[in-house]
Amino acid sequence: MKEMKPGKILINNEWCEAQSGKRFSVINPATEQILTEVAEGDAADIDRAVQAARNAFEQGPWKTMSARERGRILNRVAMLLDKHKEDFAELETLNNGKPISETRNADLPLSIETFEYYAGLADKIHGDTIPVNGNFFNYTLREPAGVVGQIIPWNFPLLMAAWKLGPALATGCTVVLKPAEQTPLTALKLGELLMEAGLPPGVVNIVPGFGPTAGAALATHPEVDKVAFTGSTEVGKTVMKLAGDHLKRVSLELGGKAPNIVFADSDIDAAVNGAMRGIFFNQGEVCCAGSRLFLEERIHDEFLSKLKTRAEKMIVGNPLDPKTQMGAQVSEDQFRKILGYVEKGKSEGAKVVTGGIPAQPQGYFIKPTILEGVNNRMKVAQEEIFGPVVCAIPFKNQEDLSRQANDTVYGLSAGIWTRDIGKAHRLAKEIKAGTIWVNCYNCFDAASPFGGFKQSGFGRELGKYALELYTQVKSVWVSLD
Ligand code: ADP
């Protein structure tokens, strides 16, 4: 493999080192080797980046550019990403550990689609005219929120950057983006493309660094108008408190513990596929993973036996091999945390049907894991494991199911498997979650909103809904007297 150049910080369309001169190492989780070093941004670099974003917002070409031209730039980003998709797919796989088949077939197409979608939306953002009382002309302007701080996680590094940047740029905001310290490489590479696409200086600034330093500085900076965060619920609470000091607008996309519910009247083989996809996609490092697998008692044993056979056949290993189906967990911390949860589950009385151990002596690989004999109050059923560990929980009837499915602090997503269409729609309404998949799982489209109920956060990304996050409404009254 050719040696990678150290990553830098992007401010005002210029690459620079951290003011402190510090760098941190970026690891390939499949080999535990250092991939490269990256400049370690902290409060001083965030401050410079925010000033650049503020200048770009208040003056210069971005402010005066037509919405259609903004759309054209976003389209060029999509085209450039498409042109370089293989390089991005490989880099993402190296840095994150996810299989190349997934970066090629999910991360890249979805990222490209997100930029395309918001390119098309840029010139369709507008206010209303309002029929107010009296002799007035009243209309609304939908204006950009301003300077936005975006903090993203490591599980879909490029895709999360696309979800954040697409709508922010379509609306005319300027951005300081902080990638996760584990996975900064594709976001930095995207910086190159943004410049090539014609984005003016200061519109997007990218500052790699750690959460408590760079992340916290972004969440508290007085010149940041809005903070958009994706990550764990615990850190989301911290970010909200930090942003609260200046009453910044905040949107949070946080953890989940999704129920994936299989009724006896479902197409069992399709549901087994759905359960596999629900928990083993992206090594289970997915906030909407179907980690609580509710099985109607009658089919519990048959279903688990089929799922076990499939899980044991999964190809786990070298993420760069196109045949690989599950790669490495992102870091040693995650690896240990996940195995720790398996032990916790066992001590609470759960039984390991399969997996629960490392898959290889080197690299952070874990075997696809199924726990049975779990009840919904156990820690493994209540806390987000964020790994390839599914908890099978039996249920008696629909009433018993609904109560348990909603018995969680989270509410990001749910899956329902049944051939009874009435039951599916009733449950879709009853479950407190932002996305419901019926006879499918982990489906995404740039046009369809995504976000949480309860402690899974608030605000909706994707679709036209994300425009709400990045705009504010102004009411203008004009006397006609
Ligand atoms: P995980 O716990 O799964 O690693 P986090 O929620 O910690 O995920 O990380 C998501 C993002 O939040 C990362 O970019 C990380 O650097 C950032 N982050 C972590 N701690 C803080 C913090 N105290 N303030 C702001 N951002 C943070």
Side-chain angles (χ1 to χ4, degrees):
M1 197 186 74
K2 61 177 189 293
E3 209 176 305
M4 277 185 214
K5 280 194 285 189
K8 292 189 176 174
I9 295 173
L10 183 66
I11 297 177
N12 252 332
N13 281 6
E14 280 172 20
W15 294 107
C16 53
E17 292 291 345
Q19 288 193 39
S20 66
K22 281 202 219 161
R23 288 178 175 174
F24 64 98
S25 299
V26 177
I27 309 287
N28 175 347
T31 61
E32 303 179 38
Q33 305 290 310
I34 294 176
L35 278 172
T36 187
E37 294 200 312
V38 168
E40 185 186 327
D42 62 18
D45 307 285
I46 288 287
D47 185 50
R48 277 186 56 223
V50 171
Q51 296 306 340
R54 172 58 63 195
N55 287 341
F57 185 73
E58 301 297 347
Q59 34 194 282
W62 191 242
K63 189 181 163 111
T64 52
M65 191 180 284
S66 71
R68 193 151 301 151
E69 185 54 26
R70 285 203 306 272
R72 283 194 197 109
I73 293 179
L74 283 171
N75 244 328
R76 285 201 288 274
V77 175
M79 283 190 293
L80 286 166
L81 205 46
D82 189 51
K83 187 171 153 198
H84 298 286
K85 61 184 173 212
E86 188 51 31
D87 293 346
F88 273 88
E90 262 178 41
L91 187 62
E92 195 77 310
T93 284
L94 280 172
N95 193 174
N96 168 279
K98 64 174 81 190
I100 190 85
S101 60
E102 285 181 8
T103 46
R104 281 184 187 145
N105 297 317
D107 299 67
L108 262 295
L110 287 169
S111 301
I112 295 165
E113 177 185 296
T114 303
F115 283 111
E116 275 168 354
Y117 179 85
Y118 287 104
L121 216 50
D123 61 359
K124 295 165 196 71
I125 301 164
H126 49 72
D128 297 309
T129 56
I130 320 267
V132 292
N133 278 338
N135 205 13
F136 296 102
F137 170 41
N138 178 245
Y139 63 94
T140 58
L141 294 171
R142 193 166 269 280
E143 298 187 346
V147 174
V148 182
Q150 302 183 321
I151 302 173
I152 56 174
W154 44 258
N155 56 345
F156 292 92
L158 178 70
L159 185 60
M160 291 302 104
W163 282 22
K164 294 278 181 287
L165 293 175
L169 298 178
T171 52
C173 292
T174 60
V175 175
V176 177
L177 176 76
K178 195 204 81 65
E181 53 272 33
Q182 298 84 348
T183 56
L185 301 183
T186 47
L188 293 175
K189 194 173 169 65
L190 181 65
E192 290 285 356
L193 299 196
L194 295 172
M195 289 192 276
E196 197 180 333
L199 210 65
V203 175
V204 172
N205 307 276
I206 306 175
V207 185
F210 290 86
T213 48
L218 191 54
T220 45
H221 198 293
E223 285 291 326
V224 170
D225 299 300
K226 186 225 149 54
V227 176
F229 172 84
T230 299
S232 59
T233 292
E234 192 193 340
V235 175
K237 288 178 185 174
T238 306
V239 165
M240 187 157 170
K241 281 184 201 136
L242 293 174
D245 258 0
H246 293 97
L247 290 180
K248 294 182 201 315
R249 293 172 61 185
V250 176
S251 51
L252 302 171
E253 202 267 88
L254 309 175
K257 197 74 196 178
N260 194 8
I261 302 154
V262 186
F263 286 97
D265 63 7
S266 66
D267 173 341
I268 298 292
D269 289 330
V272 170
N273 279 337
M276 294 284 293
R277 185 181 164 93
I279 192 67
F280 300 132
F281 174 62
N282 210 46
Q283 299 75 240
E285 294 169 342
V286 184
C287 44
C288 52
S291 49
R292 289 185 299 150
L293 181 62
F294 284 99
L295 300 173
E296 193 163 357
E297 271 176 357
R298 265 194 297 148
I299 51 141
H300 178 271
D301 293 354
E302 175 200 350
F303 194 94
L304 274 192
S305 131
K306 288 189 169 184
L307 191 66
K308 174 178 190 277
T309 307
R310 288 283 304 279
E312 288 175 352
K313 278 201 189 129
M314 272 194 104
I315 305 172
V316 184
N318 179 7
L320 286 169
D321 184 336
K323 289 204 271 318
T324 293
Q325 294 169 315
M326 214 173 77
Q329 309 306 135
V330 75
S331 64
E332 190 178 350
D333 273 2
Q334 284 301 313
F335 174 80
R336 292 194 186 289
K337 183 179 147 198
I338 295 162
L339 293 175
Y341 267 114
V342 174
E343 293 312 310
K344 238 180 246 173
K346 284 199 266 188
S347 68
E348 284 180 302
K351 190 177 142 229
V352 179
V353 177
T354 185
I357 51 172
Q360 290 195 10
Q362 203 198 20
Y364 309 126
F365 297 92
I366 293 179
K367 288 198 172 178
T369 304
I370 305 171
L371 301 182
E372 70 169 325
V374 176
N375 82 55
N376 194 54
R377 293 312 307 167
M378 288 181 182
K379 273 201 168 61
V380 280
Q382 287 293 318
E383 295 176 12
E384 190 177 39
I385 299 176
F386 225 61
V389 181
V390 68
C391 297
I393 308 173
F395 69 92
K396 286 190 178 51
N397 50 37
Q398 210 176 313
E399 202 182 314
D400 174 34
L401 177 270
S402 306
R403 188 183 45 77
Q404 295 196 68
N406 279 329
D407 178 15
T408 165
V409 295
Y410 295 112
L412 195 55
S413 62
I416 302 167
W417 299 85
T418 175
R419 287 192 171 103
D420 178 341
I421 193 167
K423 185 158 69 184
H425 285 292
R426 276 196 305 278
L427 256 184
K429 226 173 142 181
E430 213 164 292
I431 291 180
K432 297 187 173 102
T435 297
I436 309 285
W437 287 296
V438 178
N439 296 331
C440 55
Y441 207 93
N442 271 342
C443 304
F444 288 94
D445 191 290
S448 183
F450 186 79
F453 281 33
K454 303 197 275 184
Q455 291 191 34
S456 289
F458 47 80
R460 291 293 174 268
E461 301 197 274
L462 299 184
K464 61 182 185 336
Y465 298 87
L467 301 179
E468 302 288 333
L469 305 182
Y470 295 104
T471 55
Q472 51 195 341
V473 173
K474 184 183 276 175
S475 174
V476 183
W477 292 75
V478 183
S479 166
L480 297 180
D481 288 337

